[in-house]
Amino acid sequence: MIYKIRIILDAEEDIFRDIEVEDTNTLEDFHNAVTQAFGFMGNEMASFYTCDEEWNQDEEIALFDMGENGSNVRLMSNTFLSDVLTEESPKLIYVYDFLSMWTFFVELADVVKKEDGSTYPNLLFSFGELPDSPPEKSFESNPNPMMNLDDDIDSYEDLDFDENWN
């Protein structure tokens, strides 16, 4: 089967690519198609993340295992697109270049039969131009309502830890 997928840059402006790819491709193959579609060199670290309907990030699927020996990181090269992107779970988050944090929303738009004579992956549609640098991210915090952040902390006595722990 052929997946028609929309990849949207997390930005205020509309910047997206529509790609057709075989469901039997690995996430590494899909990663290569995405980097080419957006004009990246493809030489930076990247990960896909499974997520729920509200785009809440879940499991990481990395390009390379950067952990210690025996790490249980799920790898793109061992994960098929059809294993993580289905009609029941049609969304992924894709992060390219962890220093710049290019972040994309990936969504399965349709599943169709393979057409004879067609080659995949296939860039169907390109909208918007990638900016020179990734869009700024604003991270909101949820401060502890019990602590007034304007107060000066003169002593550690009211805090719940031992200052001489080591």
Side-chain angles (χ1 to χ4, degrees), residues 45 62 64-68 71 73 75:
M45 285 297 302
F64 299 107
D65 184 357
M66 299 297 287
E68 299 293 321
S71 176
V73 173
L75 297 177

Side-chain angles (χ1 to χ4, degrees), residues 32-131:
N32 292 330
V34 171
T35 57
Q36 288 176 7
F38 281 95
F40 291 119
M41 296 292 295
N43 58 350
E44 300 292 341
M45 285 297 302
S47 286
F48 286 97
Y49 297 88
T50 59
C51 60
D52 62 18
E53 282 295 316
E54 285 78 41
W55 301 102
N56 294 310
Q57 184 176 310
D58 191 23
E59 179 186 13
E60 179 181 16
I61 305 165
L63 184 58
F64 299 107
D65 184 357
M66 299 297 287
E68 299 293 321
N69 290 341
S71 176
N72 290 330
V73 173
R74 193 169 178 186
L75 297 177
M76 289 184 200
S77 60
N78 299 332
T79 305
F80 294 100
L81 200 54
S82 59
D83 292 339
V84 292
L85 199 60
T86 65
E87 290 177 344
E88 294 78 31
S89 181
K91 297 179 178 183
L92 293 172
I93 297 169
Y94 174 68
V95 177
Y96 177 77
D97 185 354
F98 290 112
L99 294 178
S100 298
M101 294 297 290
W102 291 95
T103 304
F104 299 86
F105 300 111
V106 176
E107 189 162 13
L108 178 62
D110 200 8
V111 180
V112 297
K113 290 185 179 181
K114 186 175 182 177
E115 291 184 22
D116 291 335
S118 294
T119 57
Y120 303 98
N122 178 30
L123 179 62
L124 291 172
F125 187 71
S126 177
F127 186 86
E129 296 208 18
L130 201 64

Side-chain angles (χ1 to χ4, degrees), residues 22-42:
E22 294 180 74
D23 66 338
T24 56
N25 284 149
T26 65
L27 282 181
E28 185 174 10
D29 298 328
F30 183 53
H31 152 78
N32 292 330
V34 171
T35 57
Q36 288 176 7
F38 281 95
F40 291 119
M41 296 292 295

